[in-house]
Structures are given as structure tokens and as C-alpha cells.
RNA sequence: GCCCGCAUAGCUCAGUGGUAGAGCGCGUUCUUGGUAAGAACGAGGUCAGCAGUUCAACUCUGCUUGUGGGCUCCA
């Protein structure tokens, strides 16, 4: 079978996957007779089917289910389409509560159909492949829990995930992609590269940054600060706790309390650990009378915040309880909004491209039903966001009603080396806090006006960003980010002095250098540097000492030859500073 | 928070109702070597924690904690 374009292969896969889900449901209902069926749609990468079963389905059961599915496929049963009247359908499904729920949502005048193969008939609009024999390649992947209709107050169902493809080759390719993603998992790489850890005794979602991870992080922080100063931000520092009155004014105690750590009592005053930086930046803004001439004011901080994330959502660096946001709040006049958004986007793309991200997906979220702030402000803000995106020629999707209650926002997802999207950047208007804190500036007319407030985090949080960055590079960071940039490998002990001397000369140019003086053979030292993904290895033996040269090897395996120190330094500078 | 797994040495993992194993790493000794692992010896574990069943629990049961895959939520 050949496919002329992407969309036709996608449609074909949908049919295969949907059909595979039916076959799986067929088998599951036979192995677990009291199963109630929920829904089983195709997804971007495969399919799933949700069941309510009496005994939990385990990973071991998957094999059995697969085996039975293959039998059904071998029988090559036709998928037969039938339309029913509403009363027939309701009667057929009287013992299937979830199906009844689905039927309720189907409009009265629409015909209701099923697809049947063998003796298994499932409520379904199709389409399907012609028969069960037309599933070229499939695999069941995992079992998971899932709420009915994705709502927490609904029953918890058992979900089986699987995937199916038009050929074994395509399936293999997909499985390899999953493997590749696992190979890049930042949690494993963090152990291998000794970047960070989290430990039982500490508490979940709290990160200990090891020296190498800290080096990576501070390199990012230094770069971030330098660029923010260049883009005319004022960087400040604020405390980690604040009095309850602050959080009452900000509204966090009303709307965000369940995410905040419990109250601390001190001298009869209540304090809270901060879940966000905004109120502190506002404290700075409000510390002085502001003129329209002062605006825009851009206040930035690498602000550490603590949030009581629900235990089940924690995940490595990507979801933690203590994190540092690359936060900033911009206070500006209405006529400055568009320019400010433009500048934020300039800075975002500049940072992201420097970190090696080239492709982005942009979401614009508009006013939800429940919201604060005048309509005119919402309209102006949304228009400004749109105009800026359009004038830059950026394509974006609109999430209608997806904004926060306090303002519209742009989220930017970055695409990593293996095509996955990660949400890092968020640019949000806030009509709530300026109102609550009574922020103002004195306008040209001598009257007080409320400033626009834009909240933005570009990397998101350093934790998440470093997690993403680690997976993007598979741990092989570019030179400027590598915790150790150069490993010097003396072949024998008599070369150590030369190696140390070389290390201090490179150190003088601010390269991060390690001299491997272990009692190992050169090959073992190379291997060790290789496993640590150190970009450059400098081999020092008799030949180098005699000729006053250095032998260079790159972690790619390439032998870069022998050169004098000045050439080496130029080469490293070029890689670190110009190719960055 | 909810569903289902998992928890054995610093790391990756075997293992049995009758008081614990490998590889890597670490230490010592020998070896001083040319681009991905030189060799020998040695140290290292209340088998996550607490309770229960049992003559006997690392192994079975329950709870707790942590963690993995998801759901929900989110930087």
C-alpha cells in the first residue's frame, strides 16, 4: 500500500488503531467477563481503551491479551457497520453504564452506529479497516489508571495503551523512538552525569544540585542575567517568605492556598512560603511614586518558589515542589504594550536559539468565562498579542477561553531534538494584581492611572528547563554549557605536571578543566571522559611534552590531531564563544 | 489526590520461607601505558520503614514512605 501524502497515512493509521482497539476490547471482555466498556479512541501515537474491570489488569496480562488478539486477527473477521434506532441502542447497552453516558451526548437526530467483528459489537462511528486481518503491526504498551471522562469525581478506570502501524518497519521505528526517548531521560542522565539528586530523607520534589549540575545551572543563570541586563531589565532579589496580609491582598490565599505550604507562625504573625514572585515585585513597584516617564519598568528575578504540587504529579526536574522561575514583571502604559511584547519575544527567541532550540509552537489563550478586568483591557491586550505575533510572521493557535481569569497569555512550546514539545515560556497579562494592590502611575494629565502588568517566564523554571535541555542534548551539552569542558589525560604520572600546567593556563581563560590523575591507563581515562560526555579530551604523553604540543580528541570520537597551546585555545574559544 | 506496578551494596540489577550475590564504581598493590575498560586482592548491605502471620520473614500479609507508568493539575 502506498500513501501519497501525510494526511492519508494518518487517516489509515487511525483506522488501523481504532480497529486494533476494538479487537483489544473484544479480547478483554472475554478474559474478564464482567468488564464494562468505556471508550477506545485512536491517539497521535497509538490508541487506548478504558475499561472497568473487577480484577486489576497488570503488565503481565498484556502479553496474554496480545496473544488472544493475534488469534482474532488470524480469523480475519469482517468489521460490519450497522445503524440502529436510539431505543435499540439504549436497549443493547443497558448493562454498559459508560456507553449509556456516551449515547446521552449524541444528538437526537443523528443515526447511531456500531461496528461488529465476530460476536463483539461496539458503539462506534468508525471508520475501520475491512477485517481483523488487516492489522499489519501492533503492540500493547502499558496499563494505567484514568478517570472516566478525565474528571476526578468520576470512577477510576483501567486504561490499556497500545499502538498499531501499517507495517512492521513503521512499528519498529516508533518503538525505537520510545527507546531513544528513554535513553535521553534526564533522570537517568542526571545519575550518569552526576548533575543532581532527590532523596527520601529530604522530601519529594526537592532537588539537590550536585557540583556538575550546579555548574550547568550557574552558566545558564549567568547568561540569563547578562542578557536581561542587556535587554534593560532591572534585576532584584526578594525574600522567600512574606506575611499573610500580603497573600490576602494578592488573592493567593483565596485562589491558590491548596498549592501553598502551610502557614508559619512567628511572634503572633502569620507567614507563608512564596508560591509566586509577583507580590514581591509589586512591593518594589509600589515603594515609590511612578511617573509615566518611568515606564516601562521591567523587574526580573531568578525567584525560588515553593508549591505544594500533588504527590502523583512530581516528575524528575520537570515537575517539582521547589523551583526557581526566571521571572519578570513588566509594568507599562497602554501605548507601550505592543513594543513590550515584541521585546519579550525577541529575548525569548534569542535565549532559546542560543540554547539550541529552533522550532516553536505558539498558543494564544483568550478570555475565559469567569474573569476579572474591564473588557476594553482584555481586548487591547489580546489585540496587542495578536498584532505582535502577526507582524513577526509567526503562526499560532488560539485557545479560546484558555486564558487565566486575570488575563490573556501566550505560551511557547519548544521542540526538542527528537520532536517532542515542551511548555516553558509563558507571557501573561495580569489585570488582577494591579487592581488588588492599587498600582498606579501619574500620567501626563497629572492623574493616577493603572499600569498594565505583564508576567513572563521565558525558560519557565530552571529545573524544568534544565530537564528539557538535558533530554534535548541527550546529556552531551554544547561546550559552553558542559559542566566539565575539557578532560586532560596524562598518559603516565610523569606527564601530570605538564597536564596541571596546561589546566591552569586553560583555567585562566575560564575553561572548566579536569585533570585525570587516576592510576588508570589512557584508554580507561578516555572512556571515562567519554561516558561523562566531556566535549574535549587532551592527551598528554612523552611526544606532547617533548614537542610542547597537545593532542586533542573530541567526544564524537574524532581525533583532532596535535597542535600548540595557542591553536588549542583559539579552537576552544571558537567553539565556546562564537558557535554558542 | 486517584488507579496499577516497583523498592536488595554508591550505580545497574540477579536471588531464596532457614540469617545475601554479580558487574560497574570505591580502596590497596603490581603495571607507566598512545585515542572507548590492564591485573590481583579488599572494603562495602538492619534486603526502604513499621506492624502482623510463622519455630523461622529479605521472601507471605497490612500500613507508611519513596519511586515508575498514567489520570487530573501545571513552570
Amino acid at each position: 500500500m502506498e500513501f501519497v501524502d501525510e494526511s492519508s497515512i494518518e487517516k489509515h493509521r487511525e483506522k488501523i488503531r481504532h480497529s486494533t482497539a476494538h479487537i483489544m476490547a473484544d479480547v478483554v471482555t472475554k478474559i474478564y467477563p464482567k468488564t464494562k466498556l468505556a471508550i477506545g479512541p485512536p491517539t497521535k501515537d497509538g490508541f487506548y481503551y478504558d475499561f472497568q474491570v473487577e480484577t486489576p489488569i497488570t503488565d503481565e496480562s498484556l502479553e496474554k491479551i496480545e496473544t488472544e488478539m493475534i488469534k482474532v486477527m488470524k480469523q480475519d473477521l469482517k468489521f460490519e457497520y450497522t445503524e440502529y434506532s436510539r431505543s435499540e441502542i439504549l436497549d443493547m447497552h443497558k448493562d454498559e453504564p459508560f456507553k449509556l453516558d456516551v449515547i446521552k451526548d449524541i444528538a437526537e437526530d443523528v443515526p447511531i452506529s456500531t461496528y461488529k467483528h465476530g460476536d463483539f459489537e461496539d458503539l462506534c462511528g468508525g471508520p475501520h479497516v475491512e477485517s481483523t486481518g488487516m492489522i499489519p503491526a501492533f503492540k500493547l504498551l502499558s496499563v494505567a489508571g484514568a478517570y472516566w471522562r478525565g474528571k476526578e469525581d468520576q470512577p477510576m478506570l483501567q486504561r490499556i495503551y497500545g499502538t498499531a502501524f501499517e507495517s512492521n518497519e513503521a512499528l519498529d521505528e516508533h518503538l525505537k523512538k520510545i527507546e531513544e526517548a528513554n535513553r535521553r531521560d534526564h533522570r537517568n542522565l542526571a545519575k550518569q552525569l552526576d548533575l543532581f539528586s532527590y532523596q527520601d530523607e529530604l522530601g519529594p520534589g526537592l532537588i539537590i544540585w550536585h557540583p556538575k549540575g550546579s555548574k550547568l545551572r550557574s552558566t545558564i543563570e549567568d547568561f540569563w542575567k547578562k542578557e536581561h541586563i542587556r535587554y534593560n531589565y532591572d534585576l532584584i532579589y526578594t525574600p522567600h517568605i512574606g506575611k499573610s496580609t500580603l497573600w490576602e491582598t494578592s488573592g493567593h490565599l483565596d485562589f491558590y492556598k491548596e498549592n501553598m505550604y502551610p502557614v508559619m507562625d512567628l511572634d503572633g504573625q502569620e507567614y507563608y512560603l512564596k508560591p509566586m514572585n509577583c507580590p514581591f515585585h509589586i512591593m518594589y513597584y509600589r515603594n515609590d511614586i511612578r511617573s509615566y516617564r518611568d515606564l516601562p519598568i521591567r523587574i526580573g528575578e531568578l525567584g525560588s518558589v515553593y508549591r505544594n504540587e500533588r504527590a502523583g504529579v512530581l516528575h524528575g526536574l520537570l515537575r517539582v515542589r521547589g523551583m526557581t522561575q526566571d521571572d519578570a514583571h513588566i509594568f507599562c502604559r497602554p501605548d507601550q504594550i505592543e513594543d513590550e511584547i515584541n521585546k519579550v519575544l525577541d529575548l525569548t527567541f534569542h535565549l532559546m536559539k542560543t540554547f539550541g532550540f529552533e522550532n516553536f509552537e505558539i498558543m494564544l489563550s483568550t478570555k475565559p468565562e469567569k474573569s476579572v478586568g474591564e473588557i476594553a483591557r482584555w481586548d487591547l491586550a489580546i489585540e496587542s498579542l495578536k498584532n505582535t505575533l502577526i507582524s513577526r510572521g509567526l503562526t499560532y493557535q488560539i485557545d479560546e477561553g484558555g486564558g487565566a481569569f486575570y488575563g490573556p497569555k501566550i505560551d511557547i512550546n519548544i521542540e526538542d531534538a527528537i520532536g517532542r514539545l515542551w511548555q516553558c515560556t509563558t507571557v501573561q497579562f495580569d489585570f488582577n494584581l494591579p487592581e488588588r494592590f492599587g498600582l498606579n502611575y501619574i500620567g501626563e494629565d497629572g492623574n493616577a492611572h493603572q499600569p498594565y502588568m505583564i508576567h513572563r517566564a521565558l525558560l519557565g523554571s530552571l529545573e524544568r528547563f534544565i530537564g528539557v535541555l538535558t533530554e534535548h542534548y541527550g546529556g552531551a551539552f554544547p561546550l559552553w554549557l558542559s559542566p566539565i569542558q575539557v578532560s586532560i589525560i596524562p598518559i603516565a604520572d610523569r606527564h601530570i605536571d605538564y597536564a596541571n600546567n596546561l589546566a591552569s593556563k586553560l583555567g585562566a581563560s575560564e575553561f572548566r578543566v579536569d585533570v585525570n590523575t587516576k592510576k588508570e591507563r589512557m584508554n580507561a581515562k578516555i572512556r571515562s571522559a567519554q561516558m561523562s560526555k566531556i566535549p574535549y579530551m587532551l592527551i598528554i604523553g612523552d611526544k606532547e611534552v617533548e614537542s610542547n604540543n597537545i593532542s586533542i580528541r573530541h567526544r564524537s570520537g574524532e581525533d583532532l590531531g596535535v597542535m600548540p597551546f595557542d591553536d588549542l585555545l583559539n579552537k576552544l574559544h571558537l567553539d565556546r564563544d562564537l558557535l554558542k
Side-chain angles (χ1 to χ4, degrees), chain A residues 237-251:
Chain A
Y237 297 95
T238 66
H240 287 201
I241 59 172
K243 285 206 291 201
S244 58
T245 45
L246 180 74
W247 304 109
E248 275 160 25
T249 307
S250 71

Side-chain angles (χ1 to χ4, degrees), chain A residues 11-225:
Chain A
K11 280 197 183 118
H12 184 56
R13 282 180 181 174
E14 256 181 45
K15 279 206 279 188
I16 292 174
R17 288 165 182 174
H18 201 168
S19 304
T20 313
H22 272 231
I23 297 167
M24 182 171 81
D26 173 14
V27 166
V28 169
T29 50
K30 293 203 167 79
I31 298 178
Y32 306 90
K34 288 185 177 163
T35 301
K36 302 295 178 202
L37 296 170
I39 55 165
T43 62
K44 188 172 146 277
D45 291 318
F47 64 88
Y48 65 80
Y49 211 117
D50 287 347
F51 309 98
Q52 189 174 56
V53 285
E54 288 196 320
T55 45
I57 299 170
T58 62
D59 286 327
E60 290 85 66
S61 346
L62 289 187
E63 234 170 276
K64 190 175 170 196
I65 296 168
E66 264 187 15
T67 313
E68 293 300 314
M69 285 172 68
I70 291 167
K71 286 186 194 162
V72 175
M73 290 175 187
K74 283 198 175 140
Q75 290 172 44
D76 199 21
L77 304 163
K78 289 262 178 283
F79 280 100
E80 294 164 33
Y81 177 83
T82 318
E83 280 185 16
Y84 290 93
S85 72
R86 201 169 185 88
S87 60
E88 285 172 319
I89 276 287
L90 288 171
D91 190 54
M92 274 169 69
H93 291 92
K94 58 180 186 291
D95 293 328
E96 292 285 355
F98 304 108
K99 293 294 183 192
L100 288 178
D101 210 9
V102 172
I103 294 165
K104 260 198 304 196
D105 287 351
I106 302 176
E108 292 284 347
D109 51 346
V110 176
I112 300 179
S113 59
T114 66
Y115 273 85
K116 183 178 179 184
H117 69 269
D119 60 357
F120 179 81
E121 185 166 12
D122 195 6
L123 184 73
C124 179
H128 282 278
V129 295
E130 280 166 35
S131 65
T132 61
M134 295 183 70
I135 311 289
F138 83 102
K139 187 167 174 57
L140 302 187
L141 297 172
S142 60
V143 282
Y147 297 108
W148 170 236
R149 293 198 179 270
K151 296 206 174 97
E152 280 186 89
D153 55 353
Q154 297 291 323
M156 177 60 71
L157 307 174
Q158 301 275 311
R159 173 174 295 180
I160 301 181
Y161 281 97
T163 191
F165 282 89
E166 69 284 358
S167 67
N168 277 316
E169 293 72 41
L171 175 63
D172 282 349
E173 199 181 313
H174 181 253
L175 296 177
K176 279 209 184 94
K177 211 175 138 188
I178 294 175
E179 236 172 76
E180 172 66 11
N182 287 336
R183 203 182 62 73
R184 288 168 178 263
D185 190 313
H186 72 283
R187 292 165 302 180
N188 299 333
L189 285 169
K191 276 184 196 162
Q192 191 189 328
L193 305 179
D194 198 17
L195 300 178
F196 69 87
S197 61
Y198 33 86
Q199 293 160 36
D200 290 11
E201 281 178 274
L202 237 180
L206 301 171
I207 306 296
I208 302 286
W209 290 90
H210 294 196
K212 285 176 190 155
S214 301
K215 204 68 225 174
L216 173 59
R217 176 170 163 163
S218 64
T219 303
I220 294 169
E221 289 181 352
D222 291 348
F223 172 66
W224 184 93
K225 286 180 189 166

Side-chain angles (χ1 to χ4, degrees), chain A residues 536-538 550-554 558-561 563 568:
Chain A
Y536 290 101
M537 289 153 244
L538 309 183
I550 297 131
S551 173
I552 310 175
R553 182 188 198 277
H554 190 257
E558 194 185 353
D559 187 342
L560 300 172
M563 59 184 75
L568 166 72

Side-chain angles (χ1 to χ4, degrees), chain A residues 163-357:
Chain A
T163 191
F165 282 89
E166 69 284 358
S167 67
N168 277 316
E169 293 72 41
L171 175 63
D172 282 349
E173 199 181 313
H174 181 253
L175 296 177
K176 279 209 184 94
K177 211 175 138 188
I178 294 175
E179 236 172 76
E180 172 66 11
N182 287 336
R183 203 182 62 73
R184 288 168 178 263
D185 190 313
H186 72 283
R187 292 165 302 180
N188 299 333
L189 285 169
K191 276 184 196 162
Q192 191 189 328
L193 305 179
D194 198 17
L195 300 178
F196 69 87
S197 61
Y198 33 86
Q199 293 160 36
D200 290 11
E201 281 178 274
L202 237 180
L206 301 171
I207 306 296
I208 302 286
W209 290 90
H210 294 196
K212 285 176 190 155
S214 301
K215 204 68 225 174
L216 173 59
R217 176 170 163 163
S218 64
T219 303
I220 294 169
E221 289 181 352
D222 291 348
F223 172 66
W224 184 93
K225 286 180 189 166
K226 198 177 106 226
E227 296 309 305
H228 275 71
I229 290 166
R230 211 157 68 81
Y231 275 73
N232 297 309
Y233 280 76
D234 289 316
L235 302 186
I236 69 171
Y237 297 95
T238 66
H240 287 201
I241 59 172
K243 285 206 291 201
S244 58
T245 45
L246 180 74
W247 304 109
E248 275 160 25
T249 307
S250 71
H252 283 94
L253 286 179
D254 284 333
F255 299 109
Y256 206 71
K257 193 169 186 186
E258 60 180 31
N259 278 298
M260 292 168 71
Y261 278 84
V263 66
M264 289 172 270
D265 214 297
L266 192 67
D267 296 336
Q269 290 282 349
E270 292 183 337
Y271 287 82
Y272 285 92
L273 200 47
K274 71 175 172 186
M276 295 189 195
N277 300 300
C278 349
F280 296 82
H281 291 185
I282 286 173
M283 289 295 100
Y284 164 71
Y285 180 92
R286 226 176 49 171
N287 188 52
D288 209 341
I289 293 173
R290 307 294 179 181
S291 150
Y292 71 98
R293 295 171 188 278
D294 298 329
L295 303 183
I297 291 177
R298 310 183 189 90
I299 301 304
E301 180 183 13
L302 294 169
S304 295
V305 298
Y306 294 85
R307 296 180 183 175
N308 178 17
E309 299 290 347
R310 302 160 90 188
V313 307
L314 300 173
H315 182 97
L317 286 179
L318 301 180
R319 197 73 185 276
V320 294
R321 284 187 172 155
M323 62 171 146
T324 300
Q325 295 181 305
D326 70 314
D327 213 353
H329 295 89
I330 299 168
F331 304 92
C332 67
R333 307 189 306 255
D335 61 291
Q336 294 171 322
I337 289 179
E338 225 166 290
D339 198 30
E340 284 309 305
I341 298 166
N342 242 316
K343 283 177 175 155
V344 167
L345 292 180
D346 281 341
L347 181 52
T348 303
F349 292 126
H350 167 58
L351 294 181
M352 288 305 184
K353 285 184 177 166
T354 307
F355 285 114
F357 298 102

Side-chain angles (χ1 to χ4, degrees), chain A residues 466-501:
Chain A
I466 289 171
V468 172
L469 201 59
T470 304
E471 304 215 354
H472 178 59
Y473 286 114
F477 297 105
L479 186 67
W480 74 286
L481 289 170
S482 287
I484 296 177
Q485 297 169 313
V486 177
S487 176
I488 302 184
I489 298 174
I491 290 179
D493 290 352
R494 63 179 175 279
H495 308 123
I496 289 178
D497 282 348
Y498 188 93
N500 280 332
N501 188 256

Side-chain angles (χ1 to χ4, degrees), chain A residues 543-559:
Chain A
K543 282 189 271 180
E544 287 74 18
V545 174
E546 275 162 35
S547 63
N548 199 23
N549 278 329
I550 297 131
S551 173
I552 310 175
R553 182 188 198 277
H554 190 257
R555 69 180 162 207
S556 63
E558 194 185 353
D559 187 342

